[in-house]
Amino acid sequence: MPKLNPQQQAAVKITEQPLLVLAGAGSGKTRVITEKIAYLVNKGLAARHIAALTFTNKAAREMKSRVEKLLDGQQSRGLRVSTFHSLGLDILRREHKILDYKSAITLFDESDKKTLLKNLINQGIAHCDIDEVDRYATQIGAWKNGFITPEQALTDSEKLDYDAALLYQHYNRNLKAYNAVDFDDLILLPVLLFKHAPETLEKWQNKIRYLLVDEYQDTNITQYELVRLLAGNLGRFTVVGDDDQSIYAWRGAQPENLSQLQTDYPRLKVIKLEQNYRSMGRILKVANQLIANNPHTFEKRLWSELGYGDVLKVLTHKDEQTEAQQIVSELIHHKFHQGGRYHDYAILYRGNYQSRLFEHCLRENNIPYFISGSTSFFSYTEVKDVMGYLRLLVNQEDDAAFLRVVNTPRREIGPTTLEKLGAYANERQISLFNACSELGLSQKLPEKAVIRLKKFCDWTMKTAELIERENNFETIDTMLTEIGYEQWLKENSKTPEAAKRQQKNVTDLVGWLKKMGTSEDAAEADKSLSEVVSKVMLLDILERQEEDEVEEQVSLMTLHAAKGLEFPHVFLIGMEENLLPHQNSIENDNIEEERRLAYVGITRAQRSCTFSYCTHRKRYGEVFETKPSRFLDELPAEDLEWTAKNPVDPKKVKERGKSSLAHLKTMLS
């Protein structure tokens, strides 16, 4: 390990006691995890007994790629590098019988979840307002992440919303009836399983004998319990995290989990990684002074050997329109003089809506840009349609999939028919698919409607049996031909070009499914369609906000989306009270997380960081006077250059314009 610094080496070599690695921004935490995996294998622990967990597929892929460079194929055989949720899905699939599930478990995404909640509210379950379905969905997710079951939510009626808890109870019952789980269940159900089935827990503890966890500050209560159970009393784990980068409280993350380790594991060893390999010294000085205003259980201070660097600019603008124009102008000027590329630059902001004016200005100047969080491949209607068919083929209890595809392409099965079918299925406590085959349905629906439903179900069963018998992904092409999906796209797309794009998405999806179904590891059998569908559903949910890396484009993204990334030059815009820190956080006395968010933004920068704020900003159609963010006052004054306090000489502005023009002429010639 010659390339590791002394603290990194110590973190790699400690294996006999539980270890917390406090890894500051840019301190090489991924290298520590990957080197430690190689160290454990070389010390004699088989790779199949090691699991490394993180929060995104992108991070897991990067980690696995690095490990493969340190170990040969035989040594890394069986190594598990995955997200928390992928591990949870694997546990559920392998232990489904103990949990009283059938093998083909369906995974509900957020859209499926809200559809089911709306159906339950329409059926009169609890006194819930259908317009509040988003709030109920969020609350149910918070309960699951907080390790609160429906029974616990109902008994705590003084603190919690009783009607929402009742809805939660019925929602869970319906999920179970559909042989389905949602995203949050992927952690909650394994934890409940391990707590109530010690022999199953012991089996998994023998399977996973050493656990490594990345971004530990982002874990919620349920994820903490999963780690604690798998690691056992001996604490066979290394967790890596940074309490200063905990910015996901809104989705249940608890930075307190870092300090809780000291209580649960008295033998815990703590190592700090404070050397930063990303940023110039001045940027780190500014970031350190800002975050020092937060209380800390563990103190640390980032430092760098990359040099001190230039002062950080603070730009002032009269309004958001001027802000966008001047930031883009500043970016162009900087690029001309530094000779960099567009992908060296990132514009970071608190809310997605702030990107619109910047998009307009970038387009006006013919500057390529990329917005993180653009439409996911899985969000396209045609992709969701095909996935809906496949979900139904592997699990006929999947009501969400049934409702999506039963009339796509059209089969003259309208909303009235489906509403009556739903009422009958609910009355009988069976799935919509099974209800179609019951004799009693003919008393609720006209004969023609029953015949159409029966015809659809017969076709589904025949196709499902064909796929199961042949385990051949080529049958997907046959299915799409039989339903006439390509023709359906042609008839329902706005233009022939749009239909071609949609058909290409379908072709790409099917090709990808076939590839996923064929194992690259000769020791593993080819995956069944149900396994592939479950994996794709999980990828869909995990990668909604993940994007492929892009070349030669300015990056526009929220501060939350920027976490884990780095750029030579960063513009941090909207540094105003009520924006950063956000008004909601000010009202809820949650300034500490907003400060961490600003800290994350600053530490994305490698060579330069520019702050920007407006004196006036439009909100709800009215123009309001704004104040600079309190965070700017917390930064070291000697390291900042304020344009408002140090107005630029008009001669310098003119010279700058001439210089840029001359540089442009040189480039063109």
Side-chain angles (χ1 to χ4, degrees):
M1 298 175 286
K3 294 183 179 179
L4 300 185
N5 65 40
Q7 290 73 31
Q8 291 173 328
Q9 288 196 33
V12 168
K13 291 179 178 178
I14 293 172
T15 59
E16 299 305 318
Q17 64 189 107
L19 175 64
L20 165 60
V21 180
L22 283 170
S27 62
K29 63 183 177 62
T30 304
R31 170 174 281 183
V32 167
I33 293 174
T34 53
E35 289 279 0
K36 187 152 195 171
I37 291 170
Y39 182 78
L40 287 165
V41 171
N42 288 325
K43 288 267 288 183
L45 181 61
R48 68 179 183 277
H49 292 311
I50 301 172
L53 302 179
T54 186
F55 281 85
T56 67
N57 283 300
K58 188 174 181 180
R61 286 194 299 268
E62 168 69 15
M63 204 177 288
K64 194 162 191 177
S65 171
R66 291 199 196 184
V67 173
E68 286 169 353
K69 292 174 184 175
L70 298 172
L71 299 171
D72 62 39
Q74 188 62 34
Q75 286 179 305
S76 61
R77 192 182 185 87
L79 174 69
R80 181 190 295 274
V81 182
S82 73
T83 62
F84 269 94
H85 294 89
S86 292
L87 172 62
L89 179 62
D90 191 29
I91 293 170
L92 293 186
R93 292 190 67 85
R94 292 176 187 239
E95 312 298 344
H96 65 88
K97 290 181 181 176
I98 301 174
L99 288 161
D100 196 26
Y101 280 87
K102 294 192 285 293
S103 60
I105 296 175
T106 293
L107 181 57
F108 267 38
D109 65 10
E110 197 64 19
S111 172
D112 298 329
K113 178 180 182 180
K114 289 177 183 177
T115 299
L116 176 54
L117 289 174
K118 285 177 183 177
N119 289 341
L120 291 171
I121 293 169
N122 283 330
Q123 290 168 21
I125 301 299
H127 299 290
C128 294
D129 183 353
I130 198 162
D131 293 330
E132 293 284 308
V133 72
D134 287 351
R135 182 173 70 82
Y136 298 134
T138 301
Q139 179 63 73
I140 289 170
W143 274 324
K144 290 188 177 187
N145 288 329
F147 201 51
I148 297 170
T149 63
E151 294 69 31
Q152 290 170 318
L154 282 166
T155 54
D156 199 1
S157 56
E158 288 182 11
K159 295 180 183 177
L160 305 172
D161 187 332
Y162 182 80
D163 285 324
L166 194 59
L167 184 63
Y168 176 25
Q169 184 182 55
H170 283 275
Y171 167 75
N172 261 19
R173 283 180 184 169
N174 276 263
L175 277 182
K176 190 66 182 291
Y178 301 158
N179 201 52
V181 296
D182 64 21
F183 191 60
D184 301 310
D185 285 328
L186 295 179
I187 311 297
L188 177 62
L189 290 178
V191 170
L192 291 172
L193 168 69
F194 289 157
K195 281 182 174 289
H196 295 106
E199 67 287 352
T200 305
L201 172 59
E202 187 179 353
K203 181 176 83 173
W204 279 88
Q205 286 176 337
N206 288 329
K207 191 188 292 281
I208 299 175
R209 297 180 188 174
Y210 200 90
L211 191 62
L212 302 102
V213 184
D214 190 19
E215 303 287 7
Y216 193 70
Q217 77 282 347
D218 292 338
T219 55
N220 56 40
I221 293 174
T222 319
Q223 287 161 339
Y224 181 89
E225 280 297 307
L226 183 62
V227 170
R228 194 177 64 80
L229 287 163
L230 286 172
N233 295 328
L234 294 176
R236 302 163 302 183
F237 65 75
T238 293
V239 300
V240 182
D242 181 6
D243 50 347
D244 290 332
Q245 294 188 74
S246 181
I247 57 174
Y248 295 114
W250 48 276
R251 69 181 190 199
Q254 298 217 145
E256 300 87 357
N257 286 348
L258 291 167
S259 53
Q260 182 63 36
L261 284 170
Q262 290 184 311
T263 303
D264 291 343
Y265 296 94
R267 294 174 57 245
L268 182 75
K269 177 76 174 174
V270 179
I271 290 180
K272 300 177 187 178
L273 302 184
E274 297 173 295
Q275 182 175 358
N276 176 285
Y277 294 92
R278 173 189 299 158
S279 306
M280 306 294 281
R282 196 190 298 262
I283 290 171
L284 297 179
K285 177 188 173 185
V286 169
N288 284 332
Q289 183 155 321
L290 173 69
I291 206 64
N293 290 277
N294 275 3
H296 287 84
T297 303
F298 306 100
E299 294 292 340
K300 68 177 184 308
R301 191 168 185 83
L302 296 179
W303 59 276
S304 169
E305 293 182 339
L306 299 177
Y308 197 51
D310 298 329
V311 295
L312 280 65
K313 291 184 180 180
V314 183
L315 308 180
T316 309
H317 315 282
K318 65 177 182 179
D319 56 33
E320 61 266 46
Q321 183 77 47
T322 310
E323 179 184 46
Q325 292 169 345
Q326 292 185 359
I327 290 291
V328 171
S329 172
E330 184 78 16
L331 189 155
I332 293 169
H333 173 76
H334 191 277
K335 181 177 179 296
F336 277 161
H337 284 272
Q338 298 296 320
R341 301 179 65 182
Y342 283 124
H343 70 236
D344 292 339
Y345 297 85
I347 299 173
L348 309 182
Y349 36 79
R350 181 64 175 81
N352 277 309
Y353 68 92
Q354 290 173 263
S355 71
R356 292 168 194 159
L357 291 172
F358 286 88
E359 288 184 72
H360 181 71
C361 290
L362 290 167
R363 281 199 302 267
E364 277 188 341
N365 287 278
N366 294 317
I367 297 175
Y369 65 89
F370 169 77
I371 300 182
S372 179
S374 54
T375 304
S376 160
F377 175 73
F378 297 105
S379 298
Y380 290 114
T381 300
E382 60 275 14
V383 173
K384 290 180 81 72
D385 284 346
V386 176
M387 286 304 301
Y389 270 102
L390 297 179
R391 285 167 55 187
L392 189 64
L393 289 171
V394 300
N395 177 16
Q396 285 79 57
E397 306 288 324
D398 189 339
D399 279 6
F402 179 92
L403 290 169
R404 179 165 196 95
V405 304
V406 69
N407 203 36
T408 304
R410 291 191 185 92
R411 298 183 176 88
E412 298 182 62
I413 301 171
T416 304
T417 297
L418 293 173
E419 185 180 349
K420 291 179 179 178
L421 174 66
Y424 178 78
N426 188 57
E427 181 183 311
R428 297 276 296 125
Q429 290 294 296
I430 56 177
S431 69
L432 296 172
F433 187 91
N434 288 336
C436 294
S437 303
E438 292 217 341
L439 292 172
L441 185 63
S442 59
Q443 298 175 9
K444 306 287 183 180
L445 286 172
E447 184 181 358
K448 285 185 179 179
V450 174
I451 291 171
R452 290 182 191 121
L453 287 169
K454 186 79 166 53
K455 183 180 178 183
F456 172 71
C457 291
D458 288 345
W459 173 84
T460 302
M461 289 302 298
K462 183 189 76 172
T463 308
E465 287 167 6
L466 181 66
I467 287 175
E468 186 175 352
R469 185 173 65 250
E470 297 188 3
N471 194 23
N472 185 342
F473 285 74
E474 301 298 331
T475 49
I476 299 174
D477 294 316
T478 306
M479 173 199 80
L480 292 171
T481 302
E482 286 181 355
I483 64 175
Y485 193 73
E486 185 173 358
Q487 185 60 34
W488 159 259
L489 290 177
K490 289 178 181 176
E491 292 171 0
N492 290 274
S493 298
K494 292 180 180 178
T495 64
E497 290 74 21
K500 286 180 183 176
R501 282 197 301 272
Q502 290 175 313
Q503 183 55 40
K504 184 180 184 304
N505 285 339
V506 172
T507 304
D508 290 347
L509 173 66
V510 174
W512 188 47
L513 291 171
K514 290 175 183 176
K515 188 176 178 182
M516 284 185 72
T518 306
S519 174
E520 294 178 4
D521 190 336
E524 293 183 21
D526 289 349
K527 297 180 180 70
S528 68
L529 182 62
S530 63
E531 288 178 300
V532 171
V533 168
S534 292
K535 288 287 185 186
V536 172
M537 285 295 293
L538 182 56
L539 283 172
D540 175 12
I541 296 169
L542 285 170
E543 295 191 340
R544 293 267 166 89
Q545 298 303 318
E546 289 184 31
E547 309 292 344
D548 292 329
E549 290 188 14
V550 291
E551 288 296 323
E552 200 45 16
Q553 295 178 330
V554 174
S555 293
L556 276 67
M557 65 185 71
T558 64
L559 288 161
H560 284 99
K563 186 169 172 292
L565 303 178
E566 57 185 43
F567 304 91
H569 311 291
V570 166
F571 292 91
L572 216 170
I573 67 168
M575 290 290 292
E576 301 149 28
E577 287 293 296
N578 297 315
L579 195 50
L580 186 66
H582 196 275
Q583 184 175 349
N584 292 343
S585 297
I586 295 172
E587 292 171 356
N588 296 324
D589 194 25
N590 192 21
I591 298 298
E592 289 172 18
E593 176 149 332
E594 292 291 300
R595 189 176 283 111
R596 292 195 291 266
L597 201 53
Y599 173 83
V600 165
I602 295 169
T603 53
R604 298 313 93 197
Q606 295 171 305
R607 299 203 296 274
S608 77
C609 181
T610 302
F611 303 104
S612 166
Y613 73 92
C614 300
T615 57
H616 295 80
R617 193 175 288 272
K618 185 179 285 187
R619 282 184 296 173
Y620 313 114
E622 290 186 50
V623 176
F624 291 88
E625 188 175 348
T626 58
K627 295 180 180 179
S629 169
R630 69 188 72 186
F631 299 150
L632 291 173
D633 290 332
E634 295 174 358
L635 306 181
E638 66 273 18
D639 295 294
L640 302 182
E641 180 185 285
W642 294 66
T643 55
K645 296 179 181 178
N646 304 296
V648 181
D649 186 334
K651 288 183 180 178
K652 288 187 178 179
V653 174
K654 195 170 184 180
E655 287 172 8
R656 177 172 160 178
K658 285 181 178 178
S659 174
S660 295
L661 187 60
H663 190 85
L664 180 60
K665 286 178 178 177
T666 303
M667 288 174 64
L668 291 172
S669 63

